[in-house]
Amino acid sequence: MAMSDEIRLRFEISGDDFTRAGEASSSVKKELKKLGIDPQAVRKVAIAMYEGEINMVIHANGGAIDVVIHPDCIDMILKDNGPGIENVALAMQEGYSTAPDNVRSLGFGAGMGLPNMKKYTDEMQIETERGVGTTVTMKVHI
Amino acid sequence: MTVYTLAREAGFTVEAGADAEDREVKGVYCCDLLSMVMGRAKADTAWITVISNVNSLAVASLADVACIVIAEGVPVDAETRAKAEQQEILILSSPLPVFETGLAIHRCIGAAE
Ligand SMILES: Nc1ncnc2c1ncn2[C@@H]1O[C@H](COP(=O)(O)OP(=O)(O)OP(=O)(O)O)[C@@H](O)[C@H]1O
Ligand SMILES: [Mg+2]
């Protein structure tokens, strides 16, 4: 890839469909593999994006994800119009979860999603406002 | 040891993933909480769980495990089975509890080395 080249992908995430959650992350994973990007970087992006995607479905009634593939890094911007996160520091703690019982029975609600996103990315920012929504920005170096 | 050899030696059945790659199994990971699996399971491990649904398939694929092993003989529903075929993810079924399933896999991989 030349420096000027970047690939942009956009995904609309529907808020009520658990069975389809993860499809956006899977298709990004496929695309990155096809581009021959280092498997370890691909795995990081796949895990971080999936956690963000599923959070949008469970906690924010869906949203949109932009992925930008640069020659030296991958940016992910996840934007939703959900309820926002009241206390980001608390939400970032392992084990903190407000997931309802119906999704806990599916295996969600360990309170590890946001910590995983932090762990598997090189940069991560959360902008959030109560009643307005949340934007999570993540970067993985290649 | 590959997934199919493991299934044969440990006495597990292959429930889905006929077209999936018969990958090398390099370890075992047990947990039912999906984001715990995402964060902690290493690539190429056999992931043992008692929860079988389409969300586990996404996790298996993105965390890049070698296969899912459903323990305790918990049935795999038709939707999960169909999606696993489509996404080429190997699902094994073990009649044993989680610990014994893990132990059996550990012994098989150990013996093969
Ligand atoms: N996009 C979002 N909008 C609103 N709240 C969110 C969002 N993402 C996370 N949260 C809040 O932060 C908490 C912690 O998120 P985290 O992903 O770590 O755990 P979880 O989703 O509850 O469980 P899991 O371990 O399955 O991911 C959530 O329970 C929720 O209260
Ligand atoms: Mg989460």
Side-chain angles (χ1 to χ4, degrees), chain B:
Chain B
M1 172 173 292
T2 67
V3 176
Y4 274 88
T5 314
L6 171 68
R8 204 168 46 238
E9 304 223 333
F12 302 159
T13 51
V14 179
E15 295 286 324
D19 294 333
E21 186 193 345
D22 188 16
R23 292 169 58 169
E24 194 73 23
V25 179
K26 296 186 179 153
V28 192
Y29 182 83
C30 314
C31 191
D32 297 320
L33 296 173
L34 298 178
S35 64
M36 193 81 87
V37 179
M38 277 297 216
R40 303 267 165 85
K42 297 202 175 74
D44 305 310
T45 50
W47 166 32
I48 306 172
T49 175
V50 292
I51 296 184
S52 126
N53 58 39
V54 292
N55 302 107
S56 349
L57 298 178
V59 169
S61 157
L62 296 164
D64 206 22
V65 298
C67 64
I68 305 177
V69 185
I70 308 293
E72 299 273 13
V74 172
V76 182
D77 64 67
E79 188 193 7
T80 304
R81 215 181 275 271
K83 274 223 164 186
E85 293 300 348
Q86 189 193 330
Q87 298 175 19
E88 302 184 0
I89 295 165
L90 270 165
I91 303 180
L92 305 184
S93 171
S94 160
L96 307 170
V98 171
F99 178 75
E100 281 80 359
T101 301
L103 201 54
I105 299 174
H106 180 73
R107 285 189 178 134
C108 284
I109 328 179
E113 268 164 9

Side-chain angles (χ1 to χ4, degrees), chain A residues 18 29 43 50 107 116 119-120, chain B residues 34-35 38-39 41 55 61 63:
Chain A
F18 276 100
K29 184 185 178 187
R43 187 166 185 268
Y50 175 77
N116 281 346
K119 176 177 166 190
Y120 284 101
Chain B
L34 298 178
S35 64
M38 277 297 216
N55 302 107
S61 157

Side-chain angles (χ1 to χ4, degrees), chain A residues 51 54-55 58-59 112-114, chain B residues 35:
Chain A
E51 293 288 11
I54 200 77
N55 276 355
I58 295 178
H59 307 295
M112 293 273 296
L114 289 171
Chain B
S35 64

